[in-house]
Amino acid sequence: MSGFDLKGLTASFGGERVIGPLSLNVHEGERVALVGRSGAGKSTLISLIHQQVEGIASLVPQNLGLVNALPVFHNVYMGRLDTNATWYNTLTLIRPFAKDTREVKALLTELAMPEKVWIPAASLSGGQRQRVAIARALYRRSGLLLADEPVSALDGPSAHLVMKLLKDRFATSVIALHDVELALAYCTRIVGIQDGHIALDEPSEKLTPADITPLY
Amino acid sequence: MFRVEVNHVILTGFVKRVRKTLVESHGKKKDIQMVLNLIRKLALTSFLVFVGSATASAQTFVFTAIPDEDETKLVERFRGVAEYLSEQLDADVRYIPVKSYAAAVSAFRNNQVQLAWFGGLSGVQARALVPGSQAIAQGEEDQAFFNYFIAHKSTGLDRADTLTDDLRGMTFTFGSKGSTSGRLIPEYHIRDIFGEAPEEVFERVGFSGNHTRTLRLVESGTYDVGAINYKVWEKELEDGNINTDDVKIIWKTPAYPNYQWSIRGDVDENYGEGFTDRVREALLALDDPELLESFPRSDFVPASNSDYEPIESVAKEIGIID
Amino acid sequence: MFSSPTVRTSLIFTAIAVVGLLFADIAITSANPWKDLGRFFLGVVTPDFFSTEGLATALLRTVAFAFVGVALGSVCGFLLALVYRAYPVRIFCAFIRAIHELFWALIFLQFFGFHPLTGVLAIAIPYAGIFAKVYAEILEEADPEPGRLLPPGTGVISAFLYARIPDCWVQMRTYTAYRLECGLRSSAILGFVGLPTLGFYLESAFSQGHYSEAGAMLILFYVLIATLPLWVKPRLLPVYIIGAPFFLGEGMPIVWGNVARFFTQDIVPGPLKGDEGWSGMGSWLGDLFVTQALPGIWNTVILTQIALVATGIIALLAFPLISTHFGGPVRRTSGHVFLVILRSTPEYILAYILLQLWGPSMLPAVVALALHNGGIIGHLIGRQSSTIILRPDASTGLNRYTYELVPRVYRSFLAFLFYRWEIIMRETAILGILGIYTLGFYVDNAIQNIQFDKAMILILITASLNIGVDILGRFIRRKLALQTMPTC
């Protein structure tokens, strides 16, 4: 159960409506790309969805939400704090168990940064930090991904690597992307946002980059 | 036993580490050895006390004294007394120094000390707080103790039969707040003679802390006038510690009962039947001239609670005790 | 310029202090203050490290009490910080930190006597109150985002350990280490009321005029504090904390009956113990208030206001000593040494020394408070001024001081000053124990007269006064939009 059907979504900042009212129905298995100009309301929509689905989703927010003082391992491990007992989590903080270390290392290897596992998040580069947040979302193993510009700080090949991983590991996803090529390549459905409303909602195979450009 | 082992391991580790750092930084072997021995000694004693405090302390008989003079003098004097008493009583006897008269009274009241060398006032206060406690011995001289009022040369005051109005507007120092000869008696006489509180008679009233300090402060002119226990004055004079050009006696108070040894009422119960009597006998029999000289008293004579009634009534009169 | 709120506030406070001076008892009463001062400095430059076997023990005990007290205080403070949102907890913490360490020691002495617990709790309790406040502020400021991202169903403890603590850890550690330095100072002055720390021996040496001995103790104390970063390493910390309790000294055994007696009898107000009951309370309290509390409050407030302004003046004069914008490295190094000495010497010890040398009046207290607190603030804004980058053709000398630097650091200077207002008042009250007629004098009187009921009421009044000034100080800082970090 990773699809959702949301109606009458609205959000306001300082009395000014920035989103909606809009409705969004996402079926299980759909991979939705949110596209549109910056400030159109993509990020707000992502966090609205996150609130509505009550946290069953894996979230990659734009500011990543890493704990800078903790090493990469623990930042990733935090994705599954709910499945383990408190004593287990506490011990892990002091000395991680081999099984978890193996799992996290494997994930980081897929993201091409296995050597960083014990480095504090504070000393990573922007691209590396982004991949740690993605690793945390993957480690969480929920069916639904909500991601806000998850590859904005990555170079071309890495961006493709990450997008492919996200495509393979999550049944359903809603990803805010400003890169139209990536959106068309990895998502099944494109939702264009303009001034807080849905201005375009089509399957990606029906679209070309030229159809999307007017949104920007 | 397990706890002992663990503690020991930790301490040894600590000492080793200290040694390592010391060797690295200095390399002076002798100094290091000294410091290490000290640390070891301290650790060991603290440790033993920690482990054994529950049992050992019950047997130790502890006494204290009001801090009416320089600390080094007190420690020297009462260590001698501790040795003497432990020999006479065949018990572990220890002296602990305190920083204030109230601390001596509290320690007595709290049964952390069982015996104390009190002044007239502190003795009255302490015995009022501990039921059954009694004064058991006083110095020969304490039966008729007196004070000197002393003045700095710049005041131009001379010895007289009473305190004169010339003192008005000068600065004055007591000894300690809880002292008989440093506070109670001088205050009583000031109120009696001038009909006013000391703060109204003098421009400034201070508490030096103890008699030696009073002497030093008046000698240096920090205060114009001060009140001092005559025994301290005479001892310091004899030892050549007073510059009589700078400070002199201006008045001698009438006599009053002062210092005494007081003992708690529950001592027999805790230290064995007749212990109070043994302590009293030991104190009265003290005849080591050197030890007596350190007080300085010529002899110890029997005392009783009723000897101190005059002190109690004076203290009530000026509101120090309720 | 006079329209600026910071300048106006400064002028109002200065005016209050000047008026206060008219009522204050400021005098040098000793006949030869400079001769004594000279003898004291001679003692400091000819220290005698071997005169007493007590010296090494005193230092060791000072360190041990500081470690155990601060460790206990930080653990309790941390636990309190977790529930600091609750209003009663805030009030409780404000209350326990408003009572000075020495007052706590005097209270515990009455029933624990000379047991190490007295000294440990005297440090740990007020420190717990301070730690609770500062830790709570640090935790509050942590980035909330990681916490929001945790999967639902994450345990409270796990969430706290992963999403909160790591972010705050460095700040909390820095603050705790800084508090350890304060703890050493607190521990040292506890000796003045009879605990076996440095103050005990310092007081003895001083009152007997053994200035070389006193000098040696002071020098060793400065060295101890200055080298703190060298011997307090995170890795060694567990060793120190486990080892420290063994070096507290033996003291006297605790008699628990005394504790019960203290709370059920000693501190019960006199009339309630007697036949008068509640009807006698009015006159008893009224009498206490008029004859002791009011004069005590009056003197405490006057002395505090004068000392506050004097602190400000010293700080403004002292900060160029370490600022990189003045003088060469030699001047600056000596400036650093000077300021380290000023801020490492507890006010209480400074006041004690000056009181012995100059005779009793408010003057030694004002000077002691101003030197110590001025040293601390001077150090902080001096360091801050060094981070200012001046344009290459900036003026030099006095012009540089008045036009370039003072205006730039003035706001943080005021922030620190108002932060320390409450601290200065707390210290002012306690200096009464030395014979200045502030609240501490009356508290000490009551204790010396074995009237703990009166002592407790006076301590409560002192604490309320401190809390009041703390609130006022915070109000002014908010009003002027001044921000600061905590100092002690």
Side-chain angles (χ1 to χ4, degrees), chain B residues 134-150:
Chain B
Q134 43 178 319
I136 52 171
Q138 60 183 338
E140 175 89 55
E141 296 85 340
D142 292 307
Q143 302 171 84
F145 210 81
F146 55 89
N147 269 29
Y148 288 132
F149 275 64
I150 55 173

Side-chain angles (χ1 to χ4, degrees), chain A residues 31-72:
Chain A
R31 292 192 300 281
V32 181
L34 297 179
V35 297
R37 198 181 295 153
S38 51
K42 292 176 300 196
S43 299
T44 316
L45 184 55
I46 294 268
S47 42
L48 268 182
I49 298 171
H50 185 242
Q51 278 167 30
Q52 297 289 324
V53 300
E54 285 169 350
I56 57 152
S58 293
L59 179 69
V60 182
Q62 208 158 27
N63 61 9
L64 307 179
L66 298 184
V67 180
N68 287 325
L70 284 182
V72 169

Side-chain angles (χ1 to χ4, degrees), chain B residues 7 14 17 38 42 46 49 70-72 98-99 102 106 109-110 112 177 204-205 213 220 222-223 322, chain C residues 25 29-31 60 110 112-113 200 203-204 207-208 236 246 252-253 258 261 266 356 360 437 444-445:
Chain B
N7 287 334
F14 176 71
R17 207 182 281 264
L38 186 75
L42 283 166
S46 313
V49 168
D70 282 355
E71 178 146 337
T72 22
V98 293
K99 276 284 183 209
S106 290
R109 180 191 195 193
N110 291 343
Q112 293 189 316
K177 283 175 189 168
R204 186 185 293 283
V205 174
R213 282 300 292 164
S220 69
T222 301
Y223 285 97
D322 297 326
Chain C
D25 166 31
T29 53
S30 81
L60 203 61
Q110 306 315 324
F112 287 152
F200 189 98
E203 205 251 10
S204 304
S207 64
Q208 297 171 59
L236 288 175
F246 295 97
M252 307 298 300
N258 296 330
R261 188 206 58 213
D266 291 3
Q356 301 301 317
Y437 294 111
D444 187 48
N445 259 354

Side-chain angles (χ1 to χ4, degrees), chain C residues 13-31:
Chain C
F13 271 81
T14 313
I16 293 173
V18 170
V19 174
L21 272 176
L22 300 177
F23 294 99
D25 166 31
I26 300 279
I28 292 184
T29 53
S30 81

